[in-house]
């Protein structure tokens, strides 16, 4: 097992190795491009090297905003050779080459954390960031809100960041695979196929890209008409929390902008209702929801436990949700598996169908600490530390064996280690 001193140094090295000057890569080889939520988490880690660099990361990310307000999931900056699907396949026609979908909105929450650690030195840059965040969060309500459940829907599994989660299977089964030109997956050059989405899933992923590209990416239309739509508790909780963090920042920097403050407050009110609607009495957890069939998905994923992070714990369901947490905690060595280990489709190695991801652990753990669930928060943090000590800074981990999976030397795992795992460790008693 590595010691905390050597892990600290190794985490810094991982960040430096994936630094492209003004933006970061999630890791070499597998992901040679800037990803939205990876980049936000990277900033949390960069501030242990250089605060200015951390701010630069989030400013670069926000600068990729589309005229309609969306901040996309991938930015093709610099040499992106080897990433598939590349900019020609997305063909979004934007000034900066990007993908045509978004990713979980954690940026405002990270900006608030950075601001608390040391404000950005250019206050006009901060104003610009906040205005971009208001527009992005408003875009979600126009282009991704499901009017029925009031939760946030995804139009592509990649939008959720939890690509091949079992919860999306029902929606994916409705996507009729298009006549696609032959393609070569580059991810399998870097990671064993047993740890990645299947060929059939990739055919559907590319079919959805073709659907958006053929229509020139009309986001509000796609929100209502994409062949794949699913309401995601992850997106809903991330956006709800991000709106709360954004209000704090607006009150600090732009208190005279009452229009924006009122707008974001009204979005909070809507999303609170949306979150409550995602309670699934049959499985006793917040779950995904199928907006086409208008019925819940009956399985528990790690996102079910984001209720505290979204400050939605003051309801009668909290106790039941904690029972679910404890049930799962008794089944795995390392919390939190991305999918219910007692479900027939659980797969301890395959990407989002079972493995542990440190960014999700970090957000669930923060939420638990904030609402006084200290013992459970401690379990998550300690398991996160043990996984890194056992297997180093992998992309994700087997929740049963602790083996590292996916990409090596991963930016967000190193960032979460520096910003949370290491900071809260009680080294005196380790
Ligand atoms: C990938 O390439 O697997 C990414 O997760 C897509 O967003």
């Amino acid at each position: 097992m590595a010691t905390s001193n050597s892990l600290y140094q190794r985490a810094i090295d991982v960040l430096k190795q994936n630094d492209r000057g003004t933006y970061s890569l999630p890791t070499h080889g597998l992901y040679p491009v800037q990803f939205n939520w990876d980049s936000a988490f990277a900033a949390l880690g960069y501030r242990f090297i250089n605060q200015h660099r951390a701010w630069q990361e989030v400013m670069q990310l926000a600068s990729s905003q589309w005229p309609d307000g969306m901040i996309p999931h991938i930015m093709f900056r610099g040499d992106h050779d080897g990433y598939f699907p590349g900019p020609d396949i997305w063909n979004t026609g934007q000034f900066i080459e990007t993908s045509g979908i978004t990713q979980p909105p954690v940026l405002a929450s990270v900006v608030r954390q950075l601001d608390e650690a040391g404000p950005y030195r250019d206050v006009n840059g901060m104003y610009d960031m906040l205005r971009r965040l208001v527009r992005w969060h408003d875009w979600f309500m126009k282009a991704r809100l499901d009017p029925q459940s009031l939760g946030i829907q995804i139009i592509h599994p990649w939008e959720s960041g939890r690509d091949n989660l079992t919860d999306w299977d029902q929606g994916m089964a409705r996507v009729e695979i298009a006549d696609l030109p032959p393609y070569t997956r580059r991810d399998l050059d870097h990671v064993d196929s047993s740890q990645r989405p299947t060929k059939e899933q990739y055919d559907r992923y590319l079919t959805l890209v073709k659907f958006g590209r053929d229509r020139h990416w009309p986001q509000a239309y796609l929100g209502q008409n994409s062949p794949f739509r699913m309401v995601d508790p992850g997106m809903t909780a991330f956006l709800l929390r991000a709106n709360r963090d954004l209000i704090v920042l607006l009150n600090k920097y732009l208190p005279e902008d009452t229009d924006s403050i009122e707008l974001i407050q009204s979005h909070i009110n809507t999303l609170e209702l949306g979150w409550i609607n995602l309670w699934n009495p049959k499985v006793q957890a917040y779950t995904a929801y199928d907006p086409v069939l208008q019925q819940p998905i009956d399985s528990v994923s790690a996102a079910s436990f984001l209720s505290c992070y979204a400050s939605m714990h003051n309801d009668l369901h909290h106790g039941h949700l904690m029972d679910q947490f404890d049930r799962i905690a008794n089944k795995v060595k390392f919390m939190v598996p991305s999918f219910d280990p007692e479900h027939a489709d659980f797969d301890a190695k395959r990407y989002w169908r079972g493995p542990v991801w440190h960014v999700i652990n970090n957000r669930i753990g923060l939420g638990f600490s904030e609402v006084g669930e200290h013992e459970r928060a401690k379990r998550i943090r300690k398991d996160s530390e043990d996984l890194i000590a056992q297997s180093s800074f992998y992309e994700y981990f087997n929740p049963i064996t602790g083996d590292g999976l996916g990409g090596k030397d991963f930016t967000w795992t190193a960032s979460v280690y520096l910003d949370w795992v290491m900071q809260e460790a009680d080294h005196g008693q380790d």
Side-chain angles (χ1 to χ4, degrees):
M1 286 258 200
T3 63
S4 50
N5 268 350
S6 68
L7 287 176
Y8 175 81
Q9 197 45 55
R10 183 76 200 115
I12 300 272
D13 289 346
V14 167
L15 292 180
K16 285 188 176 162
Q17 174 180 320
N18 294 331
D19 185 1
R20 282 287 163 281
T22 55
Y23 68 95
S24 62
L25 306 182
T27 186
H28 278 270
L30 181 61
Y31 302 126
V33 290
Q34 184 183 17
F35 275 87
N36 187 323
W37 69 328
D38 291 79
S39 204
F41 283 109
L44 289 181
Y46 278 131
R47 72 189 172 80
F48 292 87
I49 301 175
N50 173 343
Q51 279 208 351
H52 177 65
R53 177 67 190 81
W55 279 111
Q56 206 171 29
E57 182 83 20
V58 290
M59 295 293 164
Q60 267 274 19
L61 170 56
S63 74
S64 66
Q65 185 163 44
W66 282 23
D68 70 2
M70 180 176 84
I71 301 186
H73 112 287
I74 290 178
M75 280 56 64
F76 295 99
R77 300 187 197 278
D79 175 14
H80 46 76
D81 178 39
Y83 184 77
F84 177 84
D88 297 349
I89 293 180
W90 290 97
N91 194 17
T92 56
Q94 298 296 311
F95 181 64
I96 300 169
E97 288 184 314
T98 72
S99 66
I101 57 175
T102 194
Q103 241 186 355
V106 291
L107 180 59
S109 303
V110 166
V111 167
R112 183 176 170 197
Q113 283 179 269
L114 293 185
D115 183 64
E116 281 168 356
Y120 190 46
R121 61 186 181 204
D122 168 11
V123 77
N124 288 320
M126 188 63 176
Y127 297 155
D128 181 57
M129 165 63 84
L130 296 182
R131 291 191 178 110
R132 285 176 187 270
L133 286 168
V134 169
R135 290 187 54 231
W136 187 29
H137 291 194
D138 192 43
W139 171 89
F140 270 104
M141 305 308 275
K142 293 182 176 128
R144 295 293 183 269
L145 187 76
D146 167 38
Q148 181 79 19
S149 66
L150 302 181
I152 297 297
Q153 52 182 356
I154 50 172
I155 61 153
H156 192 301
W158 289 341
E159 279 201 321
S160 69
R162 302 186 296 149
D163 303 5
N164 64 343
L165 183 70
T166 316
D167 293 354
W168 316 143
D169 289 359
Q170 177 171 308
M172 282 288 268
R174 288 194 289 263
V175 178
E176 272 183 48
I177 296 171
D179 191 13
L180 300 166
Y183 64 91
T184 306
R185 282 175 62 175
R186 303 299 295 269
D187 56 325
L188 301 183
D189 294 345
H190 304 281
V191 177
D192 189 86
S193 61
S194 66
Q195 299 169 25
R196 293 285 303 173
T198 62
K199 153 96 171 102
E200 198 188 315
Q201 281 161 344
Y202 254 80
D203 284 348
R204 289 193 163 85
Y205 295 156
L206 294 173
T207 297
L208 293 171
V209 172
K210 177 173 165 26
F211 185 87
R213 182 186 64 223
D214 287 352
R215 288 158 186 78
H216 311 293
W217 301 106
Q219 294 295 337
Y221 171 87
L222 296 176
Q224 296 307 313
N225 298 287
S226 170
F228 173 86
R229 289 188 292 126
M230 202 55 84
V231 177
D232 178 8
M235 287 298 240
T236 308
F238 285 127
L239 184 60
L240 180 46
R241 168 62 181 248
N243 275 323
R244 298 192 199 283
D245 291 324
L246 182 53
I247 288 259
V248 172
L249 291 165
L250 287 169
N251 278 319
K252 176 172 173 187
Y253 286 100
L254 290 168
E256 67 289 353
D257 187 357
T258 51
D259 286 352
S260 292
I261 293 172
E262 279 167 25
L263 181 73
I264 296 301
Q265 186 56 55
S266 76
H267 294 340
I268 290 175
N269 299 344
T270 305
L271 292 170
E272 285 183 344
L273 292 175
W275 182 259
I276 290 165
N277 288 338
L278 295 184
W279 179 256
N280 180 336
K282 185 165 163 207
V283 298
Q284 295 284 299
Y286 299 98
T287 65
Y289 177 83
D290 185 334
V292 178
L293 299 184
Q294 300 193 355
Q295 57 178 228
I297 300 293
D298 290 335
S299 40
V300 182
S301 76
S304 305
F305 303 113
L306 288 170
S307 59
C308 302
Y309 180 68
S311 294
M312 292 303 289
H313 54 287
N314 279 326
D315 64 17
L316 296 172
H317 305 315
H318 183 66
H320 297 298
L321 196 67
M322 293 303 102
D323 289 346
Q324 291 281 8
F325 184 87
D326 295 343
R327 173 181 65 79
I328 291 175
N330 283 326
K331 292 285 161 201
V332 294
K333 185 157 179 221
F334 301 98
M335 286 294 269
V336 179
S338 43
F339 190 62
D340 188 343
E342 295 200 283
H343 193 288
D345 293 329
F346 171 78
D347 183 337
K349 286 199 303 191
R350 202 181 278 281
Y351 213 37
W352 290 93
R353 295 174 88 87
V356 176
W357 293 74
H358 277 59
V359 283
I360 302 289
N361 276 11
N362 169 239
R363 298 291 108 172
I364 299 173
L366 279 183
F368 278 17
S369 301
E370 284 168 357
V371 309
E373 289 290 352
H374 296 301
E375 282 312 304
R376 293 182 175 98
K378 205 166 150 191
R379 163 92 197 252
I380 302 175
R381 195 213 57 73
K382 181 77 174 71
D383 289 1
S384 305
E385 183 177 28
D386 290 349
L387 282 169
I388 291 173
Q390 177 182 320
S391 297
S392 193
F393 296 94
Y394 268 86
E395 184 181 8
Y396 45 97
F397 300 84
N398 184 319
I400 316 283
T401 63
D403 291 340
L405 302 165
K408 280 187 193 150
D409 297 339
F410 220 79
T411 295
W412 71 12
T413 312
S415 278
V416 164
Y417 179 78
L418 293 171
D419 184 67
W420 174 64
V421 176
M422 193 196 87
Q423 297 301 322
E424 298 203 1
D426 183 359
H427 291 300
Q429 288 171 18
D430 279 353

